Amino acid sequence: MARESGADGLMRTKPIDRLRQDAEGGSHSLERTLGPLSLVGLGIGAIIGAGLFSLTGIAAAENAGPAVVLSFAIAAIGCALAGMCYSELASMIPVSGSAYTYAYATMGEFVAWIIGWDLVLEYAVGAATVSVSWSKYVATLLQDWGITLPPRLLHSPFETVQFADGSTVHGLVNLPAVLILCLISLLLMRGVRESTRVNSVIVVVKVAVVLIVVGVGLFYVKAQNYVPFIPENTGTFGEYGWSGIMRAAGVVFFAYIGFDAVSTAAQEVKNPQRTMMIGILGSLAICTVLYIAFAAVLTGLVPYASMKGDAAPVATA
């Protein structure tokens, strides 16, 4: 760990002191401007997304029923353990790069290369899923306003849309999804301060939506929708019962993806040794409470079976 040598080939490691030196020196060093609140807001903004507004209904309908709240709790425990590891490593190695940098410092260049591409894939899949779900909600909102977008511009070329009369049409491009990805990319290119300000606004909006759904939805919850709380297993692993709860935990784990993104901002945090723990675990704790409350109200509003395959269950409820 004390040297970076070519003799070790692809398994060579980069010392922590060298990583810090590279991060702090040079014209490309990042400015440390983020505090605890900004980091918690960044975490909430990264975590709450399509996972909550889309996967909750699907996991309840196909796997766990109303017991999806237990799935969220189980997934949160796993995330908390991973979050503690991330916060410890981010405090020791307060530079950008997240898991890629940690692997480079401990296991070598080859492992870091693999993890780096894994992170690219993770965020690419996450961004695609969020943008598609966002597109679905936008289309639903515009339809409520009397504006109907062409189906070919709401689906990818790999999707086939079937109409009520039995006719079908192939998708061309999910235009709203593409547009939102381009806009967010342009925002990120502007810099961390601008993106943090916009993220703060988005966090307020998203948390407000969750609180409104929970607060207003409580008055429309029907107790019979919780019966049975844990539906009997159908005989197939993962379809209700405890196996369904565990499978749903794996599904809704995707909803927590984003807490690790907090560690990528370690190089822009004022006091990483103290702030990283607050940012990662604080955002996880807040989101877990919101997720469980949200899932409990959503499954109480409508029968869980009616949300099967619904990408916009909140609008349906």
Side-chain angles (χ1 to χ4, degrees), residues 9-94:
L10 293 177
M11 301 310 294
R12 62 187 175 185
T13 59
K14 180 174 283 191
I16 295 177
D17 292 340
R18 173 69 182 278
L19 288 169
R20 288 180 173 176
Q21 181 182 351
D22 292 345
E24 299 298 337
S27 58
H28 298 291
S29 60
L30 300 176
E31 186 178 356
R32 296 191 179 275
T33 60
L34 302 179
L37 291 178
S38 298
L39 209 57
V40 171
L42 178 64
I44 295 174
I47 295 171
I48 296 180
L52 177 62
F53 298 119
S54 179
L55 289 181
T56 304
I58 295 173
E62 299 180 1
N63 304 114
V68 70
V69 295
L70 300 180
S71 302
F72 273 110
I74 293 169
I77 293 172
C79 290
L81 296 175
M84 285 188 280
C85 295
Y86 267 102
S87 60
E88 184 68 20
L89 286 166
S91 299
M92 293 171 57
I93 314 173

Side-chain angles (χ1 to χ4, degrees), residues 245-267:
I245 291 174
M246 297 307 296
R247 175 167 287 184
V251 172
V252 301
F253 183 87
F254 180 83
Y256 287 98
I257 288 179
F259 73 88
D260 56 318
V262 177
S263 63
T264 63
Q267 196 172 330

Side-chain angles (χ1 to χ4, degrees), residues 203-292:
V203 167
V204 171
V205 172
K206 289 197 289 189
V207 172
V209 169
V210 173
L211 293 178
I212 289 172
V213 171
V214 173
V216 176
L218 279 174
F219 296 99
Y220 298 93
V221 166
K222 298 177 182 178
Q224 62 264 31
N225 289 333
Y226 293 125
V227 181
F229 183 70
I230 303 179
E232 187 177 352
N233 184 262
T234 61
T236 302
F237 183 86
E239 292 184 7
Y240 310 120
W242 279 101
S243 65
I245 291 174
M246 297 307 296
R247 175 167 287 184
V251 172
V252 301
F253 183 87
F254 180 83
Y256 287 98
I257 288 179
F259 73 88
D260 56 318
V262 177
S263 63
T264 63
Q267 196 172 330
E268 299 162 273
V269 175
K270 294 177 183 177
N271 184 6
Q273 283 73 24
R274 171 180 174 271
T275 308
M276 293 309 301
M277 176 74 77
I278 297 174
I280 294 176
L281 297 185
S283 57
L284 259 178
I286 293 172
C287 289
T288 299
V289 173
L290 292 175
Y291 278 14
I292 292 175

Side-chain angles (χ1 to χ4, degrees), residues 62-263:
E62 299 180 1
N63 304 114
V68 70
V69 295
L70 300 180
S71 302
F72 273 110
I74 293 169
I77 293 172
C79 290
L81 296 175
M84 285 188 280
C85 295
Y86 267 102
S87 60
E88 184 68 20
L89 286 166
S91 299
M92 293 171 57
I93 314 173
V95 300
S96 61
S98 186
Y100 167 79
T101 302
Y102 310 149
Y104 206 154
T106 56
M107 291 180 283
E109 185 176 312
F110 180 65
V111 176
W113 181 81
I114 293 175
I115 290 178
W117 280 109
D118 284 343
L119 288 173
V120 171
L121 178 62
E122 173 192 338
Y123 291 125
V125 172
T129 305
V130 171
S131 63
V132 169
S133 182
W134 183 86
S135 174
K136 173 69 173 177
Y137 278 107
V138 167
T140 302
L141 178 64
L142 292 177
Q143 197 168 20
D144 291 339
W145 291 348
I147 303 173
T148 302
L149 297 177
R152 298 195 69 189
L153 298 182
L154 292 173
H155 297 83
S156 73
F158 306 102
E159 295 179 280
T160 300
V161 184
Q162 185 170 7
F163 298 102
D165 60 1
S167 60
T168 60
V169 63
H170 289 284
L172 180 63
V173 61
N174 195 326
L175 190 59
V178 173
L179 290 177
I180 192 63
L181 284 175
C182 292
L183 288 174
I184 295 299
S185 297
L186 290 173
L187 173 64
L188 292 173
M189 291 167 62
R190 290 283 298 173
V192 66
R193 288 191 177 183
E194 290 78 4
S195 58
T196 300
R197 292 189 187 119
V198 175
N199 178 72
S200 298
V201 175
I202 294 174
V203 167
V204 171
V205 172
K206 289 197 289 189
V207 172
V209 169
V210 173
L211 293 178
I212 289 172
V213 171
V214 173
V216 176
L218 279 174
F219 296 99
Y220 298 93
V221 166
K222 298 177 182 178
Q224 62 264 31
N225 289 333
Y226 293 125
V227 181
F229 183 70
I230 303 179
E232 187 177 352
N233 184 262
T234 61
T236 302
F237 183 86
E239 292 184 7
Y240 310 120
W242 279 101
S243 65
I245 291 174
M246 297 307 296
R247 175 167 287 184
V251 172
V252 301
F253 183 87
F254 180 83
Y256 287 98
I257 288 179
F259 73 88
D260 56 318
V262 177
S263 63

